[in-house]
Structures are given as C-alpha cells and as structure tokens.
Amino acid sequence: MKKTSILALLLLATLSFQSLAVKMPQASENEDPLNAFKSFDFATKEVLYDETLPVSLYKDGPQVTIPVTYKNPKVQFRTAWVSTVANIDISNVTKDPDLTAEEEFKAQVTVILDNFVDLNLNAVTFQVSPMLDAWYPSDISPWSQYLHQGGSDYTFQGVDPGFNGFDPLEWIISETHLRGMEFHAWFNPYRVTNTVDARPVEEKLSELAESNFARLNPELVYEFQNKLFLDPGKPEVVDFVIDRVEEVATKYDVDAIHLDDYFYPYKYAANGQDVTFFSQDIDKQTFLDYNRGFGEYTKENAAKWREDNINILISSIKESMDSINEQKESSIQFGVSPFGIWAHAEENIDGSNTPTGSTSSLRDQYADTRKWVKEGWVDYLTPQIYWAFNTAAAPYGELADWWNEQFEGVENSHLYVGHPNYKHVGASWDNNFKNPYEIPNQMRFNQKYDNIMGSAYFSYQQMLPKTVVTPGDKFDVLNNANEILKESYLNLPAQLPGKPWLDKARTEKVTEPTYVTVDGTINLSWTDTSSDSKFYTIYRQEGNLKKVDIKNPANLIARFGVKAGTHYVDADIEEGKTYTYAVTIVDNAAVESKETVFNKNDLEINVAALAVIEAIDRLPDAKTITLLDETEVIATRELVTALNDDNSVTNLKKLEAIEKNIAKLIRKN
C-alpha cells in the first residue's frame, strides 16, 4: 500500500479543487473512478454519482477506482452471521403452543438453511453461545435464555425449553453439511450480560442460571457501562473460554470455531464525553495480581498487558484446535471477526490511513489482530469493515487495501471481509448506505486484491426481502441492494477456499463412475475410497465431452454432504440434449480433489444395472448385517446373476462383503 509522502501532502494543500481532480491517477481501461453518491432512482434502478466530488482511498489519497465488471470467482468464501443474541436472526422455540421446541427449531432452521442455499452461500456462521450460555446441551454452560419467549429475562437462562434430549446443534450441523455448507460455531468469549442495568452487580448475577460461570465466580467479573464481563486478565477466565470452545470442537462435527469482535469493551458516550475502559481503572487489581513482568501500573504498561491477555487467549485456542485436529484427524478452523481498524498510521507506523479519532482494535480493545495473522494464530480473519468508501472515519477502500497487505506472504490463514448489510436500514449513521450499490461496489473493488478470498454479511435477516412501507424508504433500499447482490454477485455458486495447512489426508478422486438415463433424468453414481470426504461437487456441460471445465462456476450445479450418498440425479435436463458431468470431492479442509468425468458414450449403462446398484445400496453395511437380512441378500444376488454384467455393478464389493459375513453368521449358528 502506497503512503502519501509529507512533501506530497504539502503540495496537495496548495492545489485548487480543479487541480486536485487532475492529480488523481487515471483509472485503467477496465476500471472506473468512484465519485460521491448522489441519488438512486428506484424506478429506473440507476444510481447517480457527483462527478465534482471524487472519493479518495483515504484523506488526501488517490481516487478510488473500481473494476467495471464483476467476475464470479470459482472459489470464494461466503457466509452470513446468524445472531441468536436478543433473537436478532432466529426466534425462540417456545412461542407456538401447537409445536414442540424441537419442531419449532427445525422449522425455523430449515428455512434459514434453505435461504443460505438459495443465496449461494457456502458456510453458516451460527451464534452457538451469545453470552456464557449455549444453544446446545452443555456440561459447562446453561441453556440460552434466548431459546425462550421473553428471552430478555435472564431468569430463563439454564431452563431447557423442552428439547427433552434433542440436540439442536448436532441437528443443525448435520443439515448444514447435507446442503454442502460449512458450519462455523460462533462464540462471544467474555460477555456475561447484554443490557445496560444500573442495579448492583450482585443482584444482576443472582438472576443468572445457578450454573452460570460468572454467578459461580463473581470475583472473575467486572462491570463497565452497567454491563457485566469476564475479566480477560484472570487465568481462570482464559481456561473457561477454552473449555467452552473445546467442548463444542470435540463433541460436534464443526468446521470452525469463530469469535466475534468483543474483547475488552468498546468505549461509549456519556454526557457528551467518551468513556473508555482504561479511564476507570477497572482491572488495576488484576494487573497487580497477574503482572507477568509488565512493571508498574501505567497506561502504557496496562495496555501491553491487556494485549498480552488477549494474545494468550487467541494463541491458546489455536493451540487447542491444532491438538484436537491431531487427535480427531479433523480440520477445524479457528477464525475471528474483529473490528475493521487495527491501528492508525499517525499512532503506529504499520497502521492504516485512518483518523486517530476513530476506534481501533489495538488501542481501544487491546486486540492485536495483525499479530494474530503474522504469528499464524488464526486460520482466517474476517475484519468487520462496516463502512462505505466515502466514510471519512474509516474509508472502505483504504481498509480493504491495508488488510490485503497484511496477508502478503501469509500461507496459513485466509482473509475475508465483513460487510454491513444492516446499515442499509440504518442509513442515518452513514448516508452512503442509501446507495444500494455500496456493497456491490465493495465486492467489485475486492477483486483487485488476491488475498481477499470471500465475504461475510451482517446479518442473515438483512439479506431477506422486507416489506416496503413507503416507496424509497430504507426497506426499499435494502431490497434493491439484496436484489443486486443476488442477481449479479451471488448468482453463481462458489467453492470454499481450501485450507491445505489443515489437511490430514490425501483425497483421491471418485472411481467406478456410472451414467444412467431413466424417466427423463440422468443418474450418476460413483465409489469414494477417501477417508476425509465432506462434500461431493457436481459440474455439468452440454455435449459429449472428454473434459468438463470445472474452473467455471457456471458449470457447478450441485454440492452436497457425503451422507447424502454417492449418487446424484439430474432432473433439470432438456430432451434431445447430451450432458457431460464431472464429480469432485471436497474434503474436511475444503481441498478439492481431481475430477472424474462422466461421459454418456463411455459410461451409460441400462436401467436394469441401476436397479441392481440401488438394491445393493439398500442393504445394511456388512458390519451391521444379521441373519434377518439373509433373504434380501439372496434376492439381491439373484438380481446380479440375472443381469449378467458385473462390470456395470459399481458396488458389487459391498454385496460380496455382506455375503461373507452372512456365511460367518450361519456357521456360528
């Protein structure tokens, strides 16, 4: 990233506005310069920009230029945050008296997951622990209060909403994987309460579940802005946060552990003044008790000590995930979505060109997010760049550019960008978000940077259609923004970025392909011998081809979990046309195997062979076979014999293994 020299800044100060416009670099032929947003015509869907007001990358920097077209990438991480805190994106499960809690949860989540698929997203980031609670049966955290109607009342915390043994997290992970998406388990590490409440700390703690860690350990809690938090400087707190994420990582088939941006608390305004965490000396005693060689209590020493507290947590979680991955032979990622500004160049030579009056994670939250990337403590980072290109306090272009630079040469971590869809309905904060093209412009801009490998949207509910109250209102802006994204930016599927540094096994391509045309559908089946397969991906092109272009996302027609089976039925075909397919495996680390081509002329078998294959598929596994299945096994063998074409039966080895075990059972009896 090019910084503006002092000499250049002095020269710029003497220029008139007209000469300033001349100094802006010319955009390349495939890029347009960006000017300030002027208006959006809801009838014609045209956006107008003020050509007299160029948008700079940062104050006194070059003009932002954006690629004219958007090219759908083959590989791109795509998710939306599903917030459970305060039921932002999902309702409680006790509001309908005619449904059980399990039924309500399944009904809601099914709609959510189907919408994710419809939007061509490929990962679900679900808030499993919004405070010190859980949306899953936990041995260390109480049931979340937000599972209950009236969830703002903390007395609901710890009460089973009526699941009666049903595990909602196990189910949602399974359903997510069946749809070909990753599941990222999102935790808030330190939050105890979420409401501004002036009552005494003891009274607030007494409302929490009896098993709540904060209620059991009040000495580990501090208060700021009349909210309660765990103290990051206490070793017991670090251990507890690690225990929470380890419980989920070991018990469930999650693809990632995800932390949000809440470390030490943000400053807040009171009586026209900013109130900062440090100004109240809240954790001075903790500093003195657990000093670790940071010297006397000064602002500078306390800041470095707090940074170290958070670094200890982040590095410890990464170490824990690496250990679990070795034990389970899994590929669980550890990711964080921090505040979008790390530090300011005026205060830190490595910082971004952003004004010092803006919040920064390093100075204000003691979160050294840049260090986490450089040290390899995160498998991905999703900075929340929740601003527009023309937001003076935090210009999007400068921050995207800065973050891309931090990932140069980093081979064991990915960079994604968090986008603020919610700001379209809160445009009073930033008038730029009255432009439905603001986030699409950001996505086109991201194409300029090789290290930006995906996007996350906050939040799920703001990606859904809203009822327009008055034409041209904030909901109209949001609907138009979503329509633009869906039709031109999320209109094609994308593969997940592979994480080869987390890969535990070589993934071979599928074998024994079959191609059957029956009843106006094309049926594919295959054999998978790889040990770490997670998803199957189907590509399709028209014609009788020897190769399918799997680099073109337009050819990607399906991705689904391996538990759905080693077969695919394509019912979306036109009579008289020939299709060639390719099937790949996406493993636990999202690394894609080589393709196996399914060519009609080379592979097509008859319907009788398909019937035999399906009959064998219906049989239990060889390990679970019993003598009660003997009659069905014999009948299946008779189908194979009648077919008289063993080469077309791709799963014959399964039948042979079953017959061998049946013979053993007969001898024993």
Side-chain angles (χ1 to χ4, degrees):
M1 181 174 61
K2 296 180 180 178
K3 308 288 184 182
T4 305
S5 69
I6 294 175
L7 177 60
L9 287 173
L10 290 172
L11 289 171
L12 284 170
T14 66
L15 296 174
S16 65
F17 178 81
Q18 289 80 7
S19 61
L20 179 64
V22 172
K23 75 95 186 172
M24 297 297 182
Q26 295 296 313
S28 64
E29 290 184 2
N30 62 343
E31 293 185 10
D32 280 339
L34 181 66
N35 296 299
F37 169 67
K38 191 173 184 179
S39 64
F40 178 74
D41 189 317
F42 288 89
T44 65
K45 309 299 183 184
E46 290 183 298
V47 61
L48 296 179
Y49 296 94
D50 189 338
E51 295 185 3
T52 69
L53 295 175
V55 174
S56 298
L57 195 66
Y58 51 87
K59 184 179 180 181
D60 298 327
Q63 186 173 10
V64 172
T65 61
I66 299 179
V68 175
T69 59
Y70 183 74
K71 182 179 179 181
N72 288 86
K74 156 73 184 291
V75 174
Q76 185 182 58
F77 181 77
R78 297 174 181 171
T79 191
W81 283 283
V82 181
S83 301
T84 60
V85 66
N87 299 109
I88 291 174
D89 291 308
I90 183 170
S91 299
N92 67 80
V93 297
T94 60
K95 64 180 181 298
D96 191 335
D98 296 324
L99 296 175
T100 65
E102 177 180 343
E103 290 169 338
E104 283 200 66
F105 181 81
K106 286 183 175 179
Q108 286 194 75
V109 170
T110 296
V111 172
I112 291 172
L113 296 183
D114 288 347
N115 283 334
F116 266 69
V117 172
D118 186 52
L119 288 165
N120 280 321
L121 306 180
N122 52 31
V124 175
T125 305
F126 189 91
Q127 194 172 34
V128 299
S129 182
M131 297 194 287
L132 307 187
D133 53 358
W135 278 61
Y136 52 93
S138 170
D139 294 329
I140 56 177
S141 300
W143 283 109
S144 177
Q145 65 201 55
Y146 299 115
L147 286 161
H148 296 266
Q149 192 168 15
S152 58
D153 185 344
Y154 289 91
T155 60
F156 282 113
Q157 194 180 88
V159 180
D160 186 334
F163 283 138
N164 298 321
F166 167 68
D167 189 330
L169 185 52
E170 181 178 50
W171 184 84
I172 188 176
I173 292 172
S174 176
E175 290 295 307
T176 299
H177 287 164
L178 281 174
R179 290 166 174 79
M181 297 183 290
E182 287 187 343
F183 185 90
H184 293 222
W186 167 19
F187 291 80
N188 183 292
Y190 301 119
R191 182 164 56 201
V192 178
T193 63
N194 193 43
T195 50
V196 177
D197 185 345
R199 291 180 301 160
V201 171
E202 296 76 13
E203 187 175 343
K204 288 185 282 191
L205 286 173
S206 69
E207 287 187 345
L208 305 179
E210 291 183 2
S211 61
N212 186 294
F213 180 80
R215 180 172 176 176
L216 293 172
N217 301 278
E219 73 282 2
L220 305 180
V221 176
Y222 68 78
E223 185 179 35
F224 182 74
Q225 198 185 0
N226 294 130
K227 300 177 183 179
L228 303 184
F229 304 85
L230 294 182
D231 187 342
K234 300 288 180 68
E236 300 95 328
V237 167
V238 177
D239 291 341
F240 175 66
V241 176
I242 294 172
D243 286 345
R244 286 164 66 198
V245 300
E246 283 185 342
E247 180 184 42
V248 168
T250 55
K251 185 177 177 182
Y252 297 97
D253 185 23
V254 295
D255 299 289
I257 295 296
H258 179 94
L259 299 187
D260 52 34
D261 57 316
Y262 292 96
F263 297 102
Y264 282 92
Y266 288 101
K267 63 186 176 183
Y268 67 97
N271 301 319
Q273 300 292 321
D274 283 341
V275 181
T276 62
F277 180 80
F278 177 82
S279 64
Q280 299 184 26
D281 291 335
I282 288 172
D283 61 347
K284 180 176 180 179
Q285 190 58 51
T286 307
F287 176 92
L288 298 174
D289 291 343
Y290 301 97
N291 184 267
R292 299 193 306 276
F294 279 89
E296 63 179 324
Y297 184 73
T298 65
K299 180 176 180 179
E300 293 74 18
N301 289 345
K304 290 298 179 185
W305 171 77
R306 294 189 189 106
E307 288 173 27
D308 196 53
N309 291 336
I310 306 300
N311 287 343
I312 288 171
L313 176 72
I314 298 299
S315 61
S316 297
I317 292 178
K318 175 57 176 170
E319 183 179 346
S320 173
M321 291 305 104
D322 287 346
S323 177
I324 289 171
N325 284 335
E326 288 299 320
Q327 295 169 20
K328 293 176 58 177
E329 295 189 345
S330 54
S331 302
I332 301 171
Q333 308 157 60
F334 174 43
V336 183
S337 56
F339 186 74
I341 301 174
W342 172 71
H344 309 296
E346 279 189 50
E347 298 176 335
N348 189 310
I349 192 172
D350 294 317
S352 54
N353 288 310
T354 42
T356 57
S358 300
T359 299
S360 82
S361 65
L362 182 63
R363 184 192 65 199
D364 298 309
Q365 294 183 289
Y366 311 102
D368 193 351
T369 54
R370 179 178 182 269
K371 182 181 181 69
W372 306 345
V373 173
K374 302 298 185 183
E375 295 291 339
W377 293 345
V378 289
D379 296 300
Y380 70 84
L381 207 70
T382 310
Q384 299 173 18
I385 311 182
Y386 283 179
W387 305 283
F389 284 101
N390 207 25
T391 304
Y396 179 86
E398 162 66 3
L399 290 167
D401 183 276
W402 184 90
W403 276 111
N404 178 77
E405 184 180 354
Q406 308 318 304
F407 278 77
E408 285 296 327
V410 174
E411 297 181 352
N412 60 349
S413 186
H414 285 161
L415 170 63
Y416 313 132
V417 169
H419 299 280
N421 301 61
Y422 72 95
K423 281 196 171 179
H424 287 303
V425 292
S428 58
W429 301 354
D430 190 336
N431 188 64
N432 294 289
F433 283 94
K434 291 181 180 178
N435 179 7
Y437 280 93
E438 177 62 39
I439 292 176
N441 284 344
Q442 293 178 6
M443 293 185 68
R444 278 190 286 135
F445 184 79
N446 290 352
Q447 292 181 122
K448 298 169 67 164
Y449 299 103
D450 291 339
N451 295 323
I452 298 180
M453 302 183 69
S455 294
Y457 305 96
F458 190 85
S459 65
Y460 160 72
Q461 277 294 336
Q462 305 309 326
M463 300 191 78
L464 303 180
K466 305 299 180 187
T467 301
V468 174
V469 179
T470 305
D473 66 10
K474 59 186 180 181
F475 302 112
D476 210 351
V477 174
L478 181 67
N479 287 346
N480 274 276
N482 287 337
E483 183 179 347
I484 293 164
L485 280 177
K486 187 172 182 179
E487 291 187 356
S488 301
Y489 294 80
L490 301 175
N491 55 309
L492 294 177
Q495 288 284 46
L496 291 151
K499 278 74 65 175
W501 64 91
L502 293 176
D503 214 352
K504 295 294 183 296
R506 179 181 174 84
T507 303
E508 303 293 344
K509 66 180 185 178
V510 304
T511 58
E512 299 179 321
T514 68
Y515 184 121
V516 181
T517 302
V518 56
D519 295 333
T521 65
I522 296 174
N523 297 252
L524 311 179
S525 65
W526 56 88
T527 297
D528 178 7
T529 59
S530 295
S531 61
D532 67 339
S533 304
K534 174 148 285 187
F535 306 126
Y536 297 124
T537 305
I538 316 297
Y539 300 86
R540 186 185 77 177
Q541 280 185 264
E542 289 185 22
N544 182 31
L545 310 172
K546 292 297 183 182
K547 188 175 180 62
V548 174
D549 181 7
I550 69 169
K551 293 182 179 180
N552 184 350
N555 295 332
L556 200 167
I557 63 170
R559 183 177 54 245
F560 52 88
V562 296
K563 290 185 178 179
T566 55
H567 50 81
Y568 175 74
V569 178
D570 187 5
D572 186 22
I573 61 176
E574 294 184 34
E575 187 176 353
K577 287 188 176 181
T578 301
Y579 300 91
T580 303
Y581 300 83
V583 175
T584 65
I585 297 171
V586 175
D587 69 14
N588 288 319
V591 175
E592 188 174 17
S593 74
K594 292 183 178 180
E595 72 273 23
T596 297
V597 176
F598 289 63
N599 177 286
K600 175 181 173 68
N601 284 6
D602 295 342
L603 298 177
E604 187 169 32
I605 61 176
N606 59 40
V607 175
L610 178 63
V612 174
I613 292 168
E614 292 176 342
I616 296 175
D617 272 345
R618 287 193 295 270
L619 293 174
D621 291 336
K623 292 180 181 179
T624 60
I625 204 76
T626 70
L627 288 176
L628 294 175
D629 303 304
E630 182 183 7
T631 301
E632 188 176 357
V633 172
I634 292 171
T636 304
R637 170 53 71 178
E638 290 174 351
L639 290 175
V640 174
T641 302
L643 179 66
N644 194 28
D645 182 11
D646 288 1
N647 291 331
S648 295
V649 183
T650 58
N651 52 358
L652 190 57
K653 290 180 180 179
K654 175 183 176 181
L655 178 60
E656 291 169 348
I658 289 171
E659 290 172 327
K660 185 176 180 180
N661 283 358
I662 286 284
K664 288 180 181 178
L665 292 172
I666 291 173
R667 287 197 297 272
K668 285 182 180 180
N669 287 274

